[in-house]
Amino acid sequence: MPGTQGLSLCGWRTQESGGNKLQYSAGSGEDTFTVVNTEKALIVYSPFLSSNEIVLQPLRGTYLFCVHWIPALGIFNFTYGVTKSHIMQTSPQTRSNLLQPTPPSYTCDSSTLLFDVTINGQPLNNSCNFTFPLLSTATDMKNVEHDISQVADYLDKNHFSGKGRMLRYWIETVLSNVTIEENSHHFGKGSLQAAVYKLNSSDVLISLPDCLGVSLSFPKQLMETVNTGTRLHVVRILDSGALFQDAANNTVVDSQVIGITFEGTQVSNLSEDIVITFHHQPLQVNSSPVCVFWDELSENWRMDGCNTVPGEVRTECRCNHLTYFALLMQISSEVIPEVHLVMLSVLTFAGCSISAVSCFFTIIWICCSRKMQSNPTLQIHLNLLGAVLLLDLSFILSAVLGALEERSLCISSAAVLHFALLCTFSWMAIEGFNLYRLVVKVFPASSVTTIKLALVGWGVPILIVAAVMLMDQESYGVSSIAVERPSFHNSTASICWLTEPIVHVLNLGFCAAILLFNACMMVAMTRRVLRLTAHTRTEKIRHCVTLLGLTCMLGLPWGLAFFAHGALYLTVQYIFSILNALQGLFIFLWYCALSQPSAKKQSHSSDCTSATPASPRAEQSLSSDHKKLLG
């Protein structure tokens, strides 16, 4: 690993005719940095540099130059005159194969003499040949201040093109090795600032000053974890998106990222949270901050282990571990007030529970039917009920795990919920196809077997979920919903669901296509019903019940999700939650209503298995008009 300490050699050079060149290449000394001035060129020798030449301004005269070299970050920067600047990103991992011989000694004269030369701000004697060792670490506070300020200047001007992980490793190494005389010291400016604190007493941990634009409060539990004398590093980075760039391109509030670490100690799974207070500008309407931390392994922002306490110009992040933290800007077209969130949650949980029980009993009922084995329509109903039952249970589980924010469990739960939703829509599409087969264009059931339909209804969702997991399992996780709360609590509600926007859009497209197909089937069935003649009030009711039941079987109420915007947002949310959470109950009631024998046939059978809405053309216990209605 190259030296972490940077070197900046600045001074004045007298340029003669034809001497407007900068040459740089690797030198034979692996741990030295050499600058030589000749009449023809200014030459830089150092490891990790490839051989190259830059043509400078051609006019004769005296020019101010500065060579800045940080091997650990792969930065080689050269400025010449007022405006000429060259920044070359080099590789700190491999040394150049173009090793040059040891730089020869030069006889200095007035034309080649470099004067008013400084090394890291310290003055040197005039000469034409300067050689310095590349130290593995920087321990002097002035050198560290110089290096951090130089890197901050590159960040301010967007001239740093290295990897964020490289920068974070470099800053942690520098802060760990610097010698500070007092209990704390602040380094840097602008886009990169850092502070080192000696933990000589518990008072330092309880509360730290907000000189970096952030306030910190630590629990007393940390005193039992961290040894006395351990140093605390606090780093503030203003990132334009290059250093902490995740797959979703999330927006960081005020571009501010705060790194908090204890030297040589990993802090995680605390029973009492660390409080990090971000100070920021007022956020735009319909946006809310979300506390996140940077995961080095996945190179993504994550929320598990952190809770958000929002404010107008300050936001608290309560986290049980230490790393790099930020606030993400969560844009939401709609924000749910807390009171409505509670009501919707109660309705949804109660509805899913009732629906699950209803699906279970309906499945038992169908399994008891003597015609289940020979009736494809009954078998389709059975699979749909199984998918709805799985959806109800997985939704309840995902909501609970989402509140706990257990990442690994949440990923699995979100995948199961996604699978259950896809299965439900797949079987609703199969219900629509079956309706088309029986009503719109009649063809033999033997051409499409239940086994083939099952491969579609269960197989396609498995393939979709498996593909998402293989591409990026981080597409599943904790998903947040913006909540307007009058109290100082988390500004979001969480559930285990899709977190990747692209996957979410594709999922909506899949569902929308199925709903559109089923809507067409419903129109065809409605036209068929309108052509029937209802002779009694009971028959009219049965016709209406059939249409309402088919609406639930085909999943048309799910289409309300596409209209939950603007002034109708809350109203549609309530209707959507009630209708879809109770889908299993509605199917159960529809099945009960149509399974009852008509008035003229009640004396023929009282067995629940003697009549069923399963086969629109095969049930002899229904009236002739009702048989036409169902098939």
Side-chain angles (χ1 to χ4, degrees):
M1 183 68 189
T4 58
Q5 179 173 337
L7 289 172
S8 289
L9 183 74
C10 300
W12 290 87
R13 175 180 185 253
T14 301
Q15 179 176 301
E16 301 295 340
S17 178
N20 58 322
K21 293 179 182 179
L22 168 70
Q23 296 175 353
Y24 56 92
S25 65
S28 60
E30 292 188 351
D31 299 315
T32 59
F33 173 83
T34 301
V35 176
V36 175
N37 185 41
T38 68
E39 293 182 355
K40 298 297 182 182
L42 183 66
I43 308 172
V44 177
Y45 297 97
S46 186
F48 313 107
L49 290 178
S50 58
S51 297
N52 205 344
E53 181 178 276
I54 297 174
V55 178
L56 306 174
Q57 295 155 325
L59 298 178
R60 297 176 59 185
T62 304
Y63 290 89
L64 175 65
F65 73 93
C66 191
V67 178
H68 188 214
W69 174 223
I70 303 182
L73 294 180
I75 294 177
F76 177 70
N77 182 39
F78 176 72
T79 57
Y80 198 76
V82 179
T83 58
K84 194 70 174 180
S85 180
H86 297 275
I87 296 180
M88 286 70 73
Q89 200 71 30
T90 65
S91 173
Q93 304 299 329
T94 58
R95 299 178 182 271
S96 172
N97 293 324
L98 303 175
L99 294 178
Q100 303 295 323
T102 303
S105 300
Y106 291 93
T107 303
C108 297
D109 54 35
S110 59
S111 62
T112 60
L113 199 66
L114 301 176
F115 54 94
D116 291 339
V117 179
T118 60
I119 178 71
N120 292 348
Q122 303 297 317
L124 299 174
N125 294 328
N126 298 341
S127 177
C128 64
N129 190 336
F130 297 90
T131 300
F132 306 95
L134 288 176
L135 301 179
S136 59
T137 55
T139 58
D140 184 74
M141 286 195 302
K142 292 183 178 180
N143 289 337
V144 171
E145 174 65 36
H146 178 270
D147 288 351
I148 293 179
S149 297
Q150 287 289 334
V151 176
D153 187 57
Y154 296 150
L155 293 175
D156 288 339
K157 299 176 181 177
N158 293 323
H159 285 167
F160 182 78
S161 58
K163 294 183 178 180
R165 179 177 299 183
M166 183 191 301
L167 176 64
R168 292 186 290 274
Y169 177 82
W170 175 78
I171 189 68
E172 288 297 327
T173 303
V174 167
L175 295 180
S176 297
N177 290 279
V178 65
T179 302
I180 59 175
E181 299 174 354
E182 301 176 352
N183 287 331
S184 64
H185 193 84
H186 179 270
F187 300 97
K189 59 182 179 179
S191 294
L192 179 60
Q193 300 180 55
V196 179
Y197 299 91
K198 292 181 180 179
L199 304 182
N200 295 325
S201 66
S202 58
D203 296 336
V204 178
L205 273 178
I206 294 174
S207 181
L208 295 175
D210 54 354
C211 61
L212 298 178
V214 64
S215 301
L216 305 175
S217 180
F218 295 85
K220 293 182 179 180
Q221 178 189 2
L222 276 183
M223 293 306 299
E224 302 175 359
T225 306
V226 180
N227 296 326
T228 303
T230 301
R231 301 201 297 189
L232 172 69
H233 303 162
V234 183
V235 181
R236 178 177 182 262
I237 301 175
L238 296 183
D239 179 35
S240 60
L243 301 178
F244 297 87
Q245 186 173 11
D246 61 345
N249 290 323
N250 287 299
T251 301
V252 177
V253 175
D254 289 348
S255 302
Q256 182 176 222
V257 180
I258 301 296
I260 309 168
T261 56
F262 284 103
E263 181 183 321
T265 304
Q266 183 177 2
V267 178
S268 61
N269 298 322
L270 296 175
S271 58
E272 188 177 352
D273 289 338
I274 300 165
V275 180
I276 308 155
T277 304
F278 287 87
H279 305 276
H280 53 78
Q281 297 296 322
L283 302 179
Q284 64 188 67
V285 181
N286 292 336
S287 65
S288 59
V290 178
C291 294
V292 293
F293 72 93
W294 183 253
D295 182 14
E296 290 286 1
L297 295 178
S298 63
E299 295 190 343
N300 274 306
W301 293 111
R302 287 170 45 188
M303 295 183 293
D304 41 311
C306 290
N307 292 317
T308 307
V309 183
E312 185 176 356
V313 293
R314 50 178 284 170
T315 297
E316 288 186 4
C317 294
R318 300 179 177 270
C319 303
N320 63 3
H321 59 283
L322 289 180
T323 182
Y324 280 81
F325 300 93
L327 293 178
L328 292 190
M329 179 83 73
Q330 186 178 59
I331 307 296
S332 176
S333 57
E334 306 293 345
V335 180
I336 301 179
E338 185 177 19
V339 62
H340 291 290
L341 175 66
V342 174
M343 290 298 298
L344 288 170
S345 299
V346 171
L347 289 173
T348 303
F349 272 82
C352 288
S353 301
I354 296 172
S355 175
V357 173
S358 301
C359 287
F360 178 77
F361 281 108
T362 310
I363 291 173
I364 298 299
W365 188 355
I366 293 178
C367 290
C368 291
S369 172
R370 292 191 297 266
K371 300 179 180 180
M372 197 272 289
Q373 296 295 333
S374 60
N375 195 317
T377 303
L378 265 180
Q379 295 168 4
I380 293 174
H381 293 343
L382 185 67
N383 281 278
L384 174 61
L385 288 166
V388 174
L389 175 60
L390 179 62
L391 179 62
D392 291 331
L393 296 178
S394 60
F395 178 84
I396 294 174
L397 179 63
S398 293
V400 173
L401 293 179
L404 298 177
E405 295 188 356
E406 290 288 341
R407 177 175 174 269
S408 58
L409 293 177
C410 206
I411 290 176
S412 301
S413 178
V416 173
L417 178 59
H418 189 206
F419 170 74
L421 180 69
L422 294 175
C423 288
T424 301
F425 272 82
S426 296
W427 281 106
M428 288 190 300
I430 293 173
E431 289 280 3
F433 168 76
N434 192 53
L435 192 65
Y436 173 82
R437 179 178 66 84
L438 296 173
V439 177
V440 180
K441 186 175 182 180
V442 180
F443 53 88
S446 60
S447 61
V448 182
T449 63
T450 306
I451 296 179
K452 294 179 180 179
L453 295 177
L455 291 176
V456 175
W458 300 105
V460 171
I462 289 178
L463 292 177
I464 293 176
V465 173
V468 174
M469 290 289 286
L470 289 175
M471 288 188 294
D472 184 10
Q473 69 173 7
E474 296 297 329
S475 297
Y476 298 113
V478 181
S479 179
S480 299
I481 305 169
V483 181
E484 179 184 344
R485 300 180 189 266
S487 56
F488 291 99
H489 292 288
N490 200 333
S491 64
T492 59
S494 300
I495 186 173
C496 300
W497 183 230
L498 295 172
T499 58
E500 176 59 48
I502 296 179
V503 179
H504 186 66
V505 171
L506 294 176
N507 187 65
L508 288 177
F510 177 85
C511 297
I514 291 176
L515 291 176
L516 181 61
F517 171 74
N518 283 356
C520 295
M521 296 303 99
M522 190 64 195
V523 171
M525 189 64 189
T526 303
R527 293 178 58 187
R528 182 67 176 265
V529 170
L530 293 178
R531 290 200 298 265
L532 295 176
T533 302
H535 300 287
T536 64
R537 182 173 180 272
T538 302
E539 290 178 350
K540 293 180 179 179
I541 294 175
R542 289 173 72 83
H543 292 174
C544 293
V545 169
T546 299
L547 290 179
L548 290 175
L550 286 175
T551 301
C552 292
M553 296 288 284
L554 300 179
L556 297 184
W558 286 89
L560 290 171
F562 296 95
F563 301 95
H565 302 285
L568 298 176
Y569 178 70
L570 280 176
T571 303
V572 172
Q573 285 288 344
Y574 275 98
I575 298 174
F576 177 87
S577 299
I578 294 172
L579 292 181
N580 293 304
L582 294 173
Q583 184 176 7
L585 175 64
F586 292 146
I587 295 176
F588 172 77
L589 295 176
W590 174 74
Y591 200 82
C592 288
L594 295 188
S595 292
Q596 296 302 316
S598 59
K600 294 181 181 181
K601 302 292 181 179
Q602 284 182 356
S603 61
H604 290 197
S605 175
S606 60
D607 191 345
C608 72
T609 63
S610 65
T612 171
S615 179
R617 294 186 297 139
E619 297 302 323
Q620 302 300 319
S621 63
L622 298 176
S623 65
S624 59
D625 282 350
H626 189 218
K627 287 193 295 180
K628 293 179 181 179
L629 171 63
L630 293 178

